[in-house]
Amino acid sequence: MRAAVLHHPAPIASHPLAIEDVPVPEPGPGQVLLKVEACAVCRTDLHITAGELKPLHDPITPGHQIVARVEKPGAEVGSIRGGERVGVSWLGGVDGSCPLCRKNRENLCDHPTYTGYSVNGGYAEYAVARADFLIPLPEDKPATDLAPLLCAGIIGFRSLRVAEIAAGDRVGLFGFGASAHLAIDVLKSWNCEVYVSTRGASHQKLARELGATWVGDATERPPVELDSAVTFAPSGDVVLAALASLRKGGIVAINAIHLDRIPQFDYDSLLWGERQLRSVANMTRQDGRDFVALAAQIGIRPRTTVFALDQVNEALAAVANDAIDGAAVVIP
Ligand SMILES: [Zn+2]
Ligand SMILES: [Zn+2]
């Protein structure tokens, strides 16, 4: 099969992924072999490919927003027979036994498997995944519409949960890329007022089209105090801008696996008053299944730009440069 392989992390502009012919993997016990229909690009893929996240598996095929069909079930996979349409996300497995798994917080497992980071992912014709971490997908949607839901969408949805957003709240979205442009549909369905601060005229235009109440520049303060905010940009300055926009008791959820730094800030004016700063780490299977079901119910349709597997480096570069609106999706 053909697969995009990372041997040495390097700057995205240097095209670090090589398209190679490699053996089709064999599913072990509890695993399935998947035929990949599409795999969307996540910002985390950029951090893996560029080496900002330290390599866990060398070489590695990245990609963790996989829409696929079960090609061949391994042993001990329950009722899976083959042919099922399924999704695979970033959380590819947990140990089920560590203190955090036992507290129902599997997103924080001490021994996790990360798709496309600690095991090979979806920028390939075939992939292997754990059967108990598959997300059932509807048959009536194109793969390119489903793939961006599987990390950008799920983590965006989890961020809204971490920010404890209630129906009708005033919510800030700081950054408006693949994740935020799906989260806004969820917020609209909850009758929230959405205030978007983002760089780039085209991201600002998209936010207006998708129903934002107000749109401003990347660190611009919305005209009203917010109940909560989610930041998507990998920038500590943006986190502080979000914090500065909160009313008392508000929460900022940071949806970023990597930040440049957090600048020093004034406690008295920014955090006092039981304002909270929280990070959002990974997702649980329940987040994934809940979000995919909600997306089908409210008809979330991502904006996508499609790339062939041969152009996977160009797809990553497009996301790195904010050159496209919505999500980039790779088709093997
Ligand atoms: Zn991701
Ligand atoms: Zn665990």
Side-chain angles (χ1 to χ4, degrees):
M1 70 166 184
R2 293 164 71 246
V5 182
L6 179 70
H7 292 281
H8 305 289
I12 303 294
S14 70
H15 287 197
L17 293 170
I19 305 298
E20 297 179 355
D21 275 313
V22 300
V24 174
E26 268 298 309
Q31 295 179 326
V32 294
L33 176 67
L34 300 171
K35 186 167 196 329
V36 177
E37 290 183 44
C39 185
V41 178
C42 173
R43 202 159 271 282
T44 302
D45 298 330
L46 309 182
H47 299 313
I48 292 167
T49 306
E52 284 139 351
L53 294 177
K54 87 175 162 56
L56 294 185
H57 188 281
D58 184 27
I60 188 79
T61 292
H64 60 266
Q65 304 189 83
I66 308 173
V67 176
R69 231 170 248 291
V70 177
E71 175 85 5
K72 179 174 152 192
E76 300 157 42
V77 293
S79 60
I80 296 173
R81 295 277 168 270
E84 293 86 351
R85 199 179 202 205
V86 294
V88 179
S89 189
W90 173 240
L91 191 66
V94 296
D95 59 11
S97 58
C98 75
L100 287 152
C101 280
R102 280 189 271 122
K103 283 185 177 163
N104 245 340
R105 301 183 74 180
E106 67 179 8
N107 61 306
L108 300 176
C109 177
D110 285 336
H111 304 101
T113 300
Y114 294 131
T115 310
Y117 184 36
S118 64
V119 297
N120 285 328
Y123 298 141
E125 291 179 280
Y126 293 90
V128 155
R130 249 175 81 163
D132 53 349
F133 277 75
L134 299 174
I135 298 169
L137 293 180
E139 288 286 344
D140 61 350
K141 300 272 193 311
T144 48
D145 281 5
L146 293 170
L149 305 180
L150 292 170
C151 182
I154 296 168
I155 301 240
F157 179 65
R158 180 174 180 81
S159 305
L160 305 183
R161 286 183 158 169
V162 169
E164 296 186 9
I165 290 160
D169 274 357
R170 288 174 164 169
V171 180
L173 300 178
F174 287 75
F176 203 75
S179 206
H181 97 287
L182 299 172
I184 195 171
D185 280 349
V186 176
L187 292 169
K188 298 302 288 182
S189 80
W190 293 345
N191 296 314
C192 292
E193 279 177 25
V194 185
Y195 297 80
V196 175
S197 300
T198 186
R199 69 177 183 182
S202 96
H203 287 188
Q204 292 171 357
K205 178 165 169 280
L206 181 61
R208 274 186 213 101
E209 282 169 21
L210 294 179
T213 300
W214 172 92
V215 178
D217 209 354
T219 55
E220 199 174 333
R221 198 148 149 189
V224 296
E225 289 195 322
L226 303 175
D227 295 296
S228 53
V230 181
T231 69
F232 297 91
S235 152
D237 291 327
V238 168
V239 171
L240 292 199
L243 201 51
S245 70
L246 291 184
R247 63 156 173 74
K248 283 181 289 186
I251 297 170
V252 172
I254 304 171
N255 180 332
I257 195 167
H258 168 78
L259 277 192
D260 50 1
R261 86 258 179 264
I262 296 255
Q264 193 171 50
F265 66 90
D266 181 59
Y267 170 81
D268 298 14
S269 59
L270 290 187
L271 207 57
W272 166 250
E274 298 197 350
R275 294 171 176 90
Q276 296 180 53
L277 205 48
R278 298 178 174 179
S279 63
V280 181
N282 314 320
M283 76 262 290
T284 65
R285 279 172 274 186
Q286 201 58 47
D287 292 327
R289 288 161 190 167
D290 290 349
F291 174 69
V292 167
L294 178 65
Q297 187 197 322
I298 65 178
I300 294 183
R301 192 133 189 247
R303 305 282 175 116
T304 55
T305 304
V306 175
F307 295 82
L309 183 59
D310 288 329
Q311 276 142 16
V312 66
N313 287 299
E314 285 83 353
L316 296 188
V319 174
N321 299 329
D322 277 334
I324 52 170
D325 285 324
V329 183
V330 175
I331 305 277

